Amino acid sequence: MPGMTMTEKILAKHAGRSHVDPGENIWVDVDVLMTHDVCGPGTIGIFYEKFGKNAKVWDPMKVVVIPDHYIFTADEKCHRNVQILRDFVREQGLKYYYDPEFVKNEPGMPNPYKDPTKTNYKGVCHKALPEEGHVRPGEIMLGTDSHTCTAGAFGMFASGVGNTDAAFTLGTGKTWLKVPPTMKFMFHGQIPPYLTAKDLILAVIGEIGVDGATYRSMYFAGDGVSSLTLEDRMTLTNMAIEAGGKNGVCDVDEKTLKYVRARSNVPTWDVVKDDAGAKYIYEHEWDLATMEPMVAKPHSPDNKDTARNCSDVKVDRAYIGSCTGGKITDMIMAASILKGNKVKVRTFVVPGSTEVHADMKKLNLRGVEKGPNEKSIEDILVDAGCLVGPSGCAACLGGPADTFGRLQSTETCISTTNRNFPGRMGSKSAAVYLASPLTVAASALTGHVTDPREFVSEPIETGMAGVM
Amino acid sequence: METIITGKAYVLGDNIDTDQIIPAQYLSFNPSLPEERKFFGMYANSGVPENQAGLPQGKTPFVRPNEFKSDYTIVIGGKNFGCGSSREHAPLALAEAGIKAVIAEFYARIFFRNSINGGYLLPLESTQRLVEKIRTGDELEIDLKAGKVTNKTQKQTYQLQPVGDVLPIIEAGGVFDYAKKAGMLK
């Protein structure tokens, strides 16, 4: 029998089969289903409509509900939607729910949390899922969010679905999937100090296009990927969807296992590897030593160029945040460039999770607990003139009109987020350049798109940040 | 399942993402409440840049201001229709506005899946690029049995790709009805 890829093996096992081939339609058992405040209310509505008003979810321990999109807004419908999640969680007896407790059911903008360690609110679901122990090698996760593919960095099959699919899984624990063929992206060498995974994935998407991986699995491999922090690998798999990918995966190694052992709320899992004879529909290799800091120009994530080539582009604002570029290692990378300098343009910082925010207050620039007279990462960003908002999806997808950092007019923004579609960050007349946290921070200092090699020469240590 | 779909075409380009189909600011409406669901029709395709809205001339609103329904029944798209966010509000918004079918070169998979599993509209694939051939406002007739779309205004007929292995789900009206028929659900 021919060899299988990691994705094929995970799908086969969850279909109760010894072997599957790309192109087959199969029914699989789902291990974790995640929903949030934007797609949860619609999903819950379909669930009760189709399974009856007394219906129960298939397994209350396997459903994770994470409000994260529209939290810090005065829009009352958004507050109402969080209440729909709360009611559902109570009715169904769900264990894993991360409530923005500071949202009172009163009109107006909720107060941002004062101490993120004292609330159960977590922030962006894709960052919160591994933090809270819901991500494990070998499992299948579905989520009502296209960036659910992020979790593939931990060697699992994770993919985004719509409300109807999610409602079906809520009631049955199953879904149908077409087994995707796998594309293999090999990175050789060690990550140099001026590059991050964002540069790698922008190069990949630029190479294959925004539809280059449609109906396909993306496998990121090689010693170049091993050299990345676990968080940076999440940036690779996170943007698989920007090439149309069904899922993205990285190999499991000691970094993955250390994190999952410390966090998982289930004691066992399967580490799955590609077979020696696994078949790939496409292969491409890169040497990290020859790669350059990249940007995606407006208005498509595949509109690639080097940061260097875009140095004549003036920027009006910078944005550091989201599931893609709001992790603690992203914050350390940005802060290492901004330290002791002042930003020239309005620069918005949104921690990817409340844990990231807590770490920004607790850790120093080397990713270790700061001493009493030492600056925290947040101190460094604020000293540089950045505006730091509360954790959440915020302006990555525009959101309600009062969203922190939302683009409101004709302006050019350089951003660590994942999409620069027309209007994505709130204004149809705005232009968004996607880039790494290093490139965004360097550009914030100069006021134009800037290659971070102008500021970075030595490796940036991130210590234990985002590791345990 | 209707096998003949007739109505006016609304033509869009390549890589129409779901943020353009329904911008994020409207996602606070709850599609499960009928009084809110209709607003998805009002704002459908409102994120499409003006010069791309209704090709070839552009600047053609998909839904007239303050209305919930569109004059158009069929959307024509290019490559990778429905890419980006997984929001099911996208096919739902088009359906609320009155769209019965989209004909594109190919789809982003989540949009395709949502359209079929939710039974909102038919995501059909063309065998050739139609974006430059069909004009916004042209009267079309889709004959599903024959696998063809006829442009009655320009008197041209084009072949469609076979629907393929999702046909049983389309015929059932969505994944729930399909699973019931297949005996998976009571």
Side-chain angles (χ1 to χ4, degrees):
Chain A
M1 209 171 285
M4 289 192 287
T5 65
M6 183 197 301
T7 292
E8 289 156 15
K9 285 160 91 169
I10 294 170
L11 294 179
K13 183 172 180 196
H14 286 76
R17 303 256 302 264
S18 59
H19 189 92
V20 292
D21 285 311
E24 279 190 81
N25 286 311
I26 55 171
W27 287 91
V28 294
D29 293 325
V30 175
D31 296 302
V32 179
L33 179 82
M34 186 282 301
T35 192
H36 52 47
D37 56 305
V38 161
C39 293
T43 300
I44 291 164
I46 296 170
F47 171 75
Y48 283 127
E49 180 199 326
K50 298 292 186 181
F51 291 105
K53 62 181 184 352
N54 299 317
K56 288 287 173 193
V57 301
W58 98 102
D59 187 338
M61 299 295 279
K62 292 184 172 177
V63 180
V64 182
V65 181
I66 308 183
D68 60 356
H69 275 62
Y70 302 162
I71 309 300
F72 301 101
T73 168
D75 184 333
E76 286 176 43
K77 285 197 302 301
C78 299
H79 301 191
R80 183 273 319 266
N81 289 346
V82 174
Q83 189 58 43
I84 291 173
L85 299 182
R86 261 183 215 127
D87 292 344
F88 183 70
V89 164
R90 197 190 57 248
E91 287 155 18
Q92 297 291 330
L94 304 184
K95 183 174 177 187
Y96 300 117
Y97 172 59
Y98 304 100
D99 193 72
E101 298 153 56
F102 40 86
V103 176
K104 305 289 181 232
N105 289 318
E106 295 163 359
M109 176 77 82
N111 290 319
Y113 44 82
K114 293 286 184 270
D115 180 352
T117 60
K118 293 200 175 101
T119 159
N120 201 34
Y121 174 65
K122 297 301 172 196
V124 186
C125 56
H126 311 299
K127 184 70 185 80
L129 282 165
E131 287 174 359
E132 298 307 311
H134 303 298
V135 165
R136 279 168 293 277
E139 291 196 348
I140 292 183
M141 173 188 285
L142 298 182
T144 58
D145 191 290
S146 61
H147 291 110
T148 302
C149 51
T150 310
F154 295 80
M156 73 186 303
F157 178 90
S159 192
V161 295
N163 300 349
T164 301
D165 273 332
F168 188 91
T169 302
L170 271 181
T172 63
K174 290 179 188 298
T175 197
W176 70 268
L177 292 171
K178 188 188 279 290
V179 179
T182 296
M183 303 172 85
K184 186 176 183 181
F185 303 92
M186 280 287 278
F187 293 93
H188 301 291
Q190 298 287 302
I191 190 89
Y194 49 84
L195 289 184
T196 78
K198 185 65 170 287
D199 302 297
L200 277 50
I201 192 65
L202 289 178
V204 168
I205 299 164
E207 176 71 27
I208 66 173
V210 285
D211 54 13
T214 301
Y215 284 97
R216 294 172 173 184
S217 172
M218 300 174 77
Y219 171 39
F220 303 100
D223 57 340
V225 175
S226 312
S227 77
L228 299 176
T229 62
L230 204 47
E231 283 201 342
D232 231 11
R233 294 178 203 174
M234 290 166 70
T235 303
L236 288 180
T237 50
N238 171 274
M239 288 188 71
I241 183 66
E242 265 51 80
K246 185 171 207 154
N247 70 316
V249 286
C250 296
D251 283 317
V252 174
D253 64 5
E254 220 18 69
K255 287 181 194 172
T256 326
L257 290 173
K258 207 168 162 188
Y259 188 95
V260 175
R261 281 189 204 114
R263 304 267 184 161
S264 173
N265 46 38
V266 173
T268 57
W269 52 85
D270 282 331
V271 175
V272 181
K273 289 183 166 63
D274 282 35
D275 290 331
K279 294 228 164 22
Y280 306 104
I281 194 167
Y282 172 96
E283 291 183 65
H284 197 102
E285 300 188 23
W286 280 270
D287 179 356
L288 292 183
T290 63
M291 294 183 78
E292 291 199 54
M294 301 295 294
V295 297
K297 297 183 286 189
H299 296 279
S300 183
D302 64 358
N303 194 9
K304 76 164 172 181
D305 207 340
T306 59
R308 199 162 46 98
N309 277 350
C310 297
S311 60
D312 57 340
V313 175
K314 192 178 154 293
V315 298
D316 304 304
R317 80 163 66 186
Y319 187 93
I320 300 166
S322 83
C323 51
T324 315
K327 304 181 290 303
I328 188 65
T329 49
D330 298 315
M331 297 299 171
I332 291 175
M333 287 189 270
S336 68
I337 285 184
L338 296 175
K339 189 189 179 190
N341 294 311
K342 288 278 180 203
V343 295
K344 267 207 182 137
V345 297
R346 279 176 307 159
T347 301
F348 295 85
V349 175
V350 182
S353 68
T354 52
E355 183 176 304
V356 168
H357 204 170
D359 283 348
M360 285 168 65
K361 293 174 188 292
K362 195 171 73 186
L363 304 181
N364 67 19
L365 207 46
R366 298 181 308 285
V368 294
E369 205 149 322
K370 72 178 191 73
N373 299 317
E374 221 175 344
K375 297 265 190 198
S376 71
I377 297 161
E378 183 167 90
D379 293 336
I380 292 164
L381 294 171
V382 170
D383 288 351
C386 299
L387 300 162
V388 181
S391 173
C393 298
C396 171
L397 76 162
D402 56 356
T403 300
F404 180 78
R406 187 179 194 270
L407 305 188
Q408 310 286 17
S409 64
T410 306
E411 52 197 330
T412 300
C413 177
I414 187 156
S415 175
T416 67
T417 56
N418 42 56
R419 289 179 176 145
N420 56 351
F421 304 148
R424 167 71 179 185
M425 292 184 76
S427 166
K428 268 203 272 189
S429 56
V432 177
Y433 285 74
L434 304 177
S436 79
L438 295 173
T439 303
V440 171
S443 307
L445 290 181
T446 62
H448 59 87
V449 175
T450 300
D451 187 317
R453 282 176 289 192
E454 293 181 25
F455 294 89
V456 185
S457 51
E458 287 172 17
I460 296 166
E461 297 296 330
T462 54
M464 294 303 283
V467 171
M468 289 298 284
Chain B
M1 186 174 88
E2 283 178 272
T3 58
I4 301 284
I5 297 168
T6 55
K8 281 193 170 66
Y10 189 79
V11 183
L12 295 169
D14 292 321
N15 301 316
I16 297 298
D17 63 77
T18 55
D19 277 87
Q20 293 184 50
I21 297 172
I22 185 75
Q25 69 199 90
Y26 305 118
L27 301 184
S28 56
F29 289 114
N30 182 352
S32 298
L33 304 173
E35 66 276 20
E36 291 187 21
R37 185 180 177 108
K38 63 183 183 187
F39 283 95
F40 290 107
M42 178 177 279
Y43 297 116
N45 283 337
S46 64
V48 177
E50 248 195 358
N51 60 350
Q52 299 290 308
L55 296 173
Q57 70 273 28
K59 298 185 180 171
T60 309
F62 178 64
V63 181
R64 278 193 285 254
N66 302 315
E67 292 192 9
F68 294 101
K69 296 286 177 192
S70 173
D71 295 339
Y72 305 96
T73 310
I74 298 162
V75 168
I76 304 295
K79 299 179 200 307
N80 202 28
F81 191 92
C83 60
S85 160
S86 59
R87 62 189 68 163
E88 189 161 310
H89 313 71
L92 183 149
L94 293 177
E96 278 301 304
I99 291 299
K100 293 193 170 156
V102 179
I103 303 175
E105 285 173 65
F106 62 91
Y107 294 86
R109 54 166 287 276
I110 304 178
F111 179 91
F112 183 82
R113 199 179 159 96
N114 287 344
S115 299
I116 285 175
N117 280 353
Y120 297 103
L121 52 82
L122 287 173
L124 302 170
E125 289 176 346
S126 53
T127 53
Q128 58 172 300
R129 185 171 174 83
L130 298 178
V131 171
E132 286 84 17
K133 297 205 159 99
I134 295 174
R135 301 170 66 90
T136 294
D138 283 357
E139 285 287 342
L140 305 185
E141 180 175 291
I142 298 171
D143 182 337
L144 288 173
K145 277 190 180 152
K148 283 179 179 159
V149 56
T150 300
N151 186 335
K152 295 197 283 191
T153 308
Q154 299 191 36
K155 301 190 172 47
Q156 292 284 329
T157 296
Y158 308 102
Q159 199 70 32
L160 300 173
Q161 299 281 3
V163 175
D165 50 11
V166 292
L167 183 65
I169 302 177
I170 292 175
E171 283 178 337
V175 71
F176 279 93
D177 295 302
Y178 169 76
K180 272 179 202 156
K181 265 190 178 172
M184 281 185 64
L185 291 180
K186 276 181 222 137

